[in-house]
Amino acid sequence: MKPDLNEKNGYAQIYLDLVRQLGTFDLSVNAAELGLQIGDDGSVMVNFFQRNYRVDNEGVWPMDGLPVGVNHLSLVAHYAMSAGRGEASGQFLPLKRLTGMVEGQGTYERDAVNKPLLCQFNDLLQLEEAVVRIGGAPAGRDPSGGLAFLFHCFPKVVLKLVYHEAEEEFPAEYRLLFDSAATNFVSFEALGFLAGVFVSELCGPNI
């Protein structure tokens, strides 16, 4: 199923630019380092939040044939062409620490992550069900004291969601952290898109 790119917005253009790069890119060169399976035709298979995608020199194709957001396609293409090496570090940082963002002491995390998740999830059971649905797993207590959940969104890119339950003087809060090695595999610019896609996946169609 081909993605709907009739609306030539900025997000669609980003994906189309990546498709042009794919046209002359040898996907097999970096596949092993990225933890990807190579097909007989030179394409690679990428699992992204529990959905399989086929990446070839013409684009990115969801294997289930269902509709998908263009930012999903861009991120999968971006990862498939990454020259990253190594493994996840196991150390997690907020987005602004990885990207050098200086805006408003975490404004992005508050507006793009914390607010929508607080609106979507009213209880812990509901949150845990959504975590499992997109391939995440409980990871006990974070050093900060919150409940932690890990997500291997790509084979070498790990996210941690930390949920701090409401206390007498503090409201409930969600924080999304990135493995410090994520920038080896996903560019600074793409990490913001990854955070947005993560929230949309976790919240499902009701976001």
Side-chain angles (χ1 to χ4, degrees):
M1 177 179 178
K2 292 185 178 180
D4 182 6
L5 299 175
N6 292 327
E7 184 180 355
K8 302 301 183 183
N9 56 31
Y11 296 136
Q13 288 301 322
I14 291 172
Y15 172 64
L16 292 172
D17 287 343
L18 288 165
V19 170
R20 282 188 279 273
Q21 296 177 45
L22 282 169
T24 57
F25 193 88
D26 184 354
L27 291 162
S28 67
V29 171
N30 299 322
E33 292 289 345
L34 297 173
L36 302 179
Q37 180 181 353
I38 308 171
D40 294 337
D41 59 356
S43 65
V44 295
M45 303 298 295
V46 181
N47 184 277
F48 186 46
F49 290 121
Q50 296 292 87
R51 292 182 68 181
N52 290 317
Y53 297 82
R54 179 176 176 270
V55 185
D56 59 26
N57 295 123
E58 296 182 357
V60 181
W61 318 100
M63 297 301 292
D64 56 16
L66 298 175
V68 64
V70 69
N71 285 344
H72 288 64
L73 302 180
S74 293
L75 284 165
V76 171
H78 185 84
Y79 184 78
M81 290 190 286
S82 171
R85 296 291 186 271
E87 302 294 335
S89 71
Q91 298 180 339
F92 294 89
L93 299 171
L95 182 63
K96 63 182 179 181
R97 290 276 303 279
L98 287 177
T99 63
M101 293 170 63
V102 294
E103 55 170 301
Q105 295 298 314
T107 299
Y108 179 88
E109 287 94 336
R110 184 179 67 244
D111 293 343
V113 177
N114 188 48
K115 281 186 177 180
L117 294 185
L118 284 175
C119 290
Q120 178 71 19
F121 299 109
N122 299 315
D123 59 64
L124 186 57
L125 178 59
Q126 186 184 25
L127 171 64
E128 291 174 340
E129 289 174 348
V131 166
V132 172
R133 175 174 53 78
I134 66 170
R141 287 281 175 183
D142 185 69
S144 66
L147 293 171
F149 304 89
L150 293 180
F151 303 81
H152 287 75
C153 54
F154 290 119
K156 299 293 183 74
V157 178
V158 187
L159 307 182
K160 179 193 280 189
L161 181 68
V162 181
Y163 172 56
H164 291 273
E165 298 169 282
E167 299 180 3
E168 184 175 342
E169 298 181 4
F170 301 98
E173 180 186 37
Y174 287 93
R175 298 193 68 204
L176 181 62
L177 307 176
F178 296 74
D179 188 280
S180 63
T183 51
N184 294 339
F185 304 95
V186 179
S187 71
F188 291 143
E189 296 80 6
L191 286 175
F193 289 104
L194 180 56
V197 166
F198 168 79
V199 170
S200 69
E201 286 289 324
L202 191 64
C203 291
N206 297 321
I207 187 174

